[in-house]
Amino acid sequence: MRDLGVGFGRLLEGQRWMARHDRQYGFGLLPGLITLVLYGAALTALAIWGDDAVTWATPFADDWPSPWLGLFRGLLTVVLFALALLLAVLTFTAVTLLVGQPFYESLSERVDRDVSPDGTAPQSGLPLHRELWISARDSLRILVRAALWGVLLFALGFLPVVGQTVVPVIGFFVTGFFLTEELTAVALQRRGVELRDRLTLLRSRKLLVWGFGTPLGLAFLVPFVAVFLMPGAVAGATLLARDLLGEETAEARDADETADGDEDEPVSGS
């Protein structure tokens, strides 16, 4: 259970790091704002025409008596919007990272240099267009996985009681996992860690991943919050990536040296 607290702590540390380096914070908000406007327009359109879409997709229910027709289509409309909202949360990070790739890449490198004992950061050595291609390709693969989970959870949502209690909780943990994958990818791609290896790494530390990603996913459900948390989330994910790879930080090194010094200090007698 300790990993849950560590993961959440990395999320908070990322936000604090960003607060101490606010010069570029304004630029970090722009990609999120652009993505938010696009997603807001799509969800608004779904809210307006969702009923029509459900009616078109369920012609077999046209002759059902009242109130079953209204209840059935009303439930499907709600579930459809909930699924769209889940997918929006899952894909918001990927789209925002693509829009703001140069900034977030630079931000992640700066965090690495700041916390690294030797003040250096791993470099991918790839040109920007190659990094964009890899990021877009991997994000699409993650989106397919997330969509499959979304369809499964959508179907399970029809189960009595379980669909309204257990399934939403599972959905939040799934969201947290994929959010963490997208965010840590910025730092892990610079280290040459491929998608398959990243997923294996994340699965090996699920509690750490959930501690970071699940609270962030819940926060992202609040309008505009994702925009303001995104730069700090990238910073925190860089710290989390170092944890996943077992990389030492300057803070941990100094703490170890202090502890060693205390142990070596002779105890004075009375």
Side-chain angles (χ1 to χ4, degrees), residues 16-255:
R16 288 196 294 266
W17 190 95
M18 202 69 231
R20 295 195 304 269
H21 302 78
D22 57 353
R23 180 175 297 180
Q24 293 180 323
Y25 183 66
F27 293 103
L29 296 179
L30 291 177
L33 287 172
I34 294 172
T35 308
L36 181 66
V37 170
L38 295 175
Y39 275 57
L43 289 174
T44 299
L46 183 62
I48 295 174
W49 291 294
D51 288 339
D52 295 335
V54 169
T55 299
W56 171 82
T58 57
F60 57 86
D62 287 343
D63 297 328
W64 287 15
S66 180
W68 306 116
L69 175 61
L71 289 174
F72 174 70
R73 285 179 171 167
L75 176 62
L76 284 184
T77 301
V78 171
V79 172
L80 176 64
F81 190 83
L83 178 60
L85 189 61
L86 174 62
L87 290 177
V89 172
L90 289 173
T91 59
F92 180 89
T93 301
V95 175
T96 303
L97 289 174
L98 281 176
V99 173
Q101 175 75 18
F103 168 80
Y104 293 129
E105 189 76 23
S106 174
L107 170 62
S108 179
E109 289 183 16
R110 187 170 179 182
V111 173
D112 266 325
R113 287 195 298 269
D114 191 44
V115 302
S116 175
D118 58 5
T120 62
Q123 301 286 336
S124 67
L126 298 174
L128 178 60
H129 73 274
R130 180 63 179 167
E131 290 182 350
L132 288 173
W133 163 249
I134 294 174
S135 179
R137 181 198 64 191
D138 290 350
S139 294
L140 181 59
R141 292 174 177 174
I142 290 297
L143 177 59
V144 171
R145 287 177 167 85
L148 292 175
W149 270 101
V151 170
L152 176 60
L153 294 173
F154 175 81
L156 293 176
F158 289 100
L159 294 176
V161 183
V162 174
Q164 294 75 48
T165 54
V166 177
V167 172
V169 174
I170 295 175
F172 285 125
F173 280 103
V174 170
T175 301
F177 181 89
F178 285 118
L179 271 179
T180 305
E181 195 289 324
E182 289 286 356
L183 288 164
T184 54
V186 178
L188 293 176
Q189 281 178 3
R190 282 191 291 107
R191 292 161 166 82
V193 182
E194 297 291 337
L195 175 60
R196 181 176 298 179
D197 296 327
R198 293 202 304 268
L199 290 173
T200 300
L201 192 62
L202 293 171
R203 292 185 187 116
S204 70
R205 302 285 300 276
K206 287 190 179 73
L207 291 179
L208 183 68
V209 170
W210 288 335
F212 180 90
T214 303
L216 186 63
L218 289 169
F220 274 17
L221 292 175
V222 181
F224 300 106
V225 167
V227 175
F228 294 103
L229 292 184
M230 192 65 183
V234 173
T238 302
L239 299 174
L240 190 73
R242 298 183 69 93
D243 287 335
L244 290 168
L245 296 173
E247 296 179 359
E248 187 182 30
T249 63
E251 181 180 0
R253 181 199 60 185
D254 294 341

